[in-house]
Amino acid sequence: MKDGFAWEEGIAKGAAMAAWRLPHCAEAFLVQDFSGGTRLQEGWNLDELSSGFLAAPFIGLPYFLRADSLSSFTLQARELPTPYVAPPENQSKKTEFMGWVAEAIQAIKKGPLQKVVLSRTDEQELPASFDVMTALEELGAAYPTAFVCALSIPALGGVWMCATPEILVEQNAEGIFRTISLAGTQSGVDADGFAIAPSQARWSTKEIEEQAFVSRYIIDCFKMIRLREYIEIGPKTISTGNLLHLKTEYIVDTKAMDFPQLPGLMLGLLHPTSAVCGTPKQEAVDFISATESHDRSMYSGYLGPVNLGKATHLFVNLRTVEIKENHAVFYAGCGITEDSNPAKEWQETQMKCQTLQRVLMQ
């Protein structure tokens, strides 16, 4: 791949870089910021950014990559890896995480916490043959409906990769704004390894409620800015690789409403969404900070191209791996409600980690 050399050259020169492909697209892009990227300051405005790429952590100010160089390329179609054989479960991590879930259930029963999203990590050594741009191609082939990305910012160290289905805020050149509520998770394959059709999915009360929390939060944000004219589609079941989710889509014609600042306003209100944090937001953030033993860093933040071709596409950074040399840290989380079962929540994080592992670890 011609941009494989550009990626390695940029790493050597200390450039900040992002390579990505939007869902349902063949064309991919590589942006390079030769200054190493910029950490934005309080009061930054999405509308005032030049063309480039934005990447924010779970908590904290985002990094902006100015498009000093922008190139496009096609992700080559690749044969998908053979079925992934997961390593044995890490029993200490399992016990720890299930303990966190049990604590969360008790906290929710006491109130005012209604839902909290807890995450964990899974660490593995990468194969000797691992290559970032080759891995990006493989992710693109495995997950055509997801946003796939590789991100390198010198201040962070290492490379972050994701294959995420979740739009945070998006606005196209025609001024059509979109955001989605995505929550609830179950396996997309049956016991025999065959894909489960979305129409065959059966959702529990817990999963329906979990997704409804996210939907209500989006609508509450619309109310805060007195936005009443929007289209709501869903909830419906969607397939993303080996998983099924519940999704509701919200659409606004910002040109018809003369509301061009909507993406920036909604970005500030939504992040971190209840899909990665919980409800109420501050109580959920406080519980996460007091409970999780790892730093989420860029996991469950957001990232994507901004003001390129008069369009912005920002996605929640899910199905995420942090790569440092030959070491990979996979991140996964799940929403906890009063009806959660610790063993089932652990299994959900297992499935989510394997979204990337089954491609990258072979």
Side-chain angles (χ1 to χ4, degrees):
M1 182 202 304
K2 66 176 183 178
D3 284 87
F5 175 76
W7 178 270
E8 294 299 328
E9 187 178 43
I11 292 287
K13 292 182 177 179
M17 295 181 297
W20 73 91
R21 189 227 59 197
L22 294 173
H24 307 288
C25 294
E27 188 177 27
F29 297 89
L30 173 66
V31 68
Q32 297 185 73
D33 182 336
F34 301 128
S35 74
T38 303
R39 192 77 184 266
L40 299 179
Q41 301 299 311
E42 293 286 354
W44 70 277
N45 190 316
L46 181 64
D47 297 334
E48 296 174 356
L49 295 179
S50 59
S51 297
F53 193 93
L54 198 60
F58 171 57
I59 299 294
L61 292 164
Y63 296 87
F64 178 66
L65 281 61
R66 185 181 64 236
D68 292 332
S69 172
L70 176 65
S71 57
S72 64
F73 58 99
T74 301
L75 291 183
Q76 300 299 315
R78 287 180 175 268
E79 195 172 312
L80 295 183
T82 56
Y84 174 65
V85 178
E89 291 183 339
N90 185 313
Q91 292 302 316
S92 63
K93 281 185 175 289
K94 182 177 182 179
T95 300
E96 179 184 53
F97 184 75
M98 288 175 60
W100 295 349
V101 175
E103 290 177 24
I105 293 170
Q106 292 305 311
I108 290 168
K109 288 180 178 179
K110 293 177 182 177
L113 193 63
Q114 297 174 295
K115 169 192 169 182
V116 64
V117 180
L118 292 176
S119 69
R120 70 172 183 89
T121 61
D122 189 4
E123 301 181 23
Q124 295 188 39
E125 296 300 308
L126 288 165
S129 60
F130 180 82
D131 174 77
V132 169
M133 296 301 278
T134 300
L136 187 67
E137 287 191 329
E138 291 172 345
L139 286 176
Y143 305 107
T145 63
F147 173 77
V148 296
C149 178
L151 172 71
S152 174
I153 299 174
L156 294 175
V159 174
W160 288 81
M161 299 191 74
C162 71
T164 175
E166 186 167 354
I167 297 167
L168 182 59
V169 296
E170 178 178 75
Q171 184 158 298
N172 65 19
E174 288 70 45
I176 303 300
F177 168 90
R178 293 172 67 229
T179 187
I180 67 170
S181 162
L182 189 75
T185 302
Q186 61 179 267
S187 177
V189 295
D190 62 21
D192 297 317
F194 293 102
I196 299 172
S199 61
Q200 301 301 310
R202 297 294 179 266
W203 296 98
S204 68
T205 300
K206 180 264 179 186
E207 292 159 334
I208 293 170
E209 182 184 46
E210 182 186 344
Q211 199 259 350
F213 276 125
V214 186
S215 297
R216 285 197 292 270
Y217 186 72
I218 291 173
I219 293 172
D220 285 345
C221 289
F222 285 157
K223 290 178 179 177
M224 288 181 201
I225 57 176
R226 294 183 171 82
L227 176 66
R228 296 181 177 84
E229 296 181 32
Y230 59 87
I231 298 171
E232 180 176 353
I233 303 172
K236 61 182 180 180
T237 302
I238 64 164
S239 174
T240 60
N242 61 330
L243 301 175
L244 296 174
H245 301 287
L246 282 169
K247 169 187 170 183
T248 302
E249 185 175 8
Y250 299 88
I251 303 171
V252 179
D253 186 339
T254 64
K255 285 190 176 179
M257 298 188 64
D258 192 24
F259 202 169
Q261 68 271 36
L262 179 62
L265 286 173
M266 286 300 291
L267 180 61
L269 290 171
L270 287 175
H271 179 68
T273 74
S274 58
V276 299
C277 179
T279 305
K281 181 183 286 190
Q282 191 56 54
E283 283 81 354
V285 168
D286 292 343
F287 188 89
I288 290 167
S289 299
T291 304
E292 293 183 354
S293 60
H294 57 278
D295 178 6
R296 289 192 180 189
S297 185
M298 304 303 284
Y299 167 68
S300 67
Y302 61 83
L303 74 176
V306 295
N307 302 327
L308 283 174
K310 298 182 179 180
T312 289
H313 305 272
L314 293 172
F315 292 77
V316 182
N317 193 4
L318 301 176
R319 315 298 181 267
T320 307
V321 59
E322 180 185 12
I323 298 163
K324 290 189 176 181
E325 297 180 349
N326 65 337
H327 187 72
V329 180
F330 296 88
Y331 294 77
C334 53
I336 312 303
T337 70
E338 187 174 353
D339 298 320
S340 287
N341 177 293
K344 289 183 178 179
E345 302 301 346
W346 165 263
Q347 188 56 41
E348 180 176 325
T349 64
Q350 285 284 84
M351 290 190 297
K352 288 177 175 176
C353 282
Q354 290 169 14
T355 298
L356 267 65
Q357 288 171 342
R358 75 187 190 99
V359 177
L360 304 187
M361 298 305 297
Q362 302 187 72

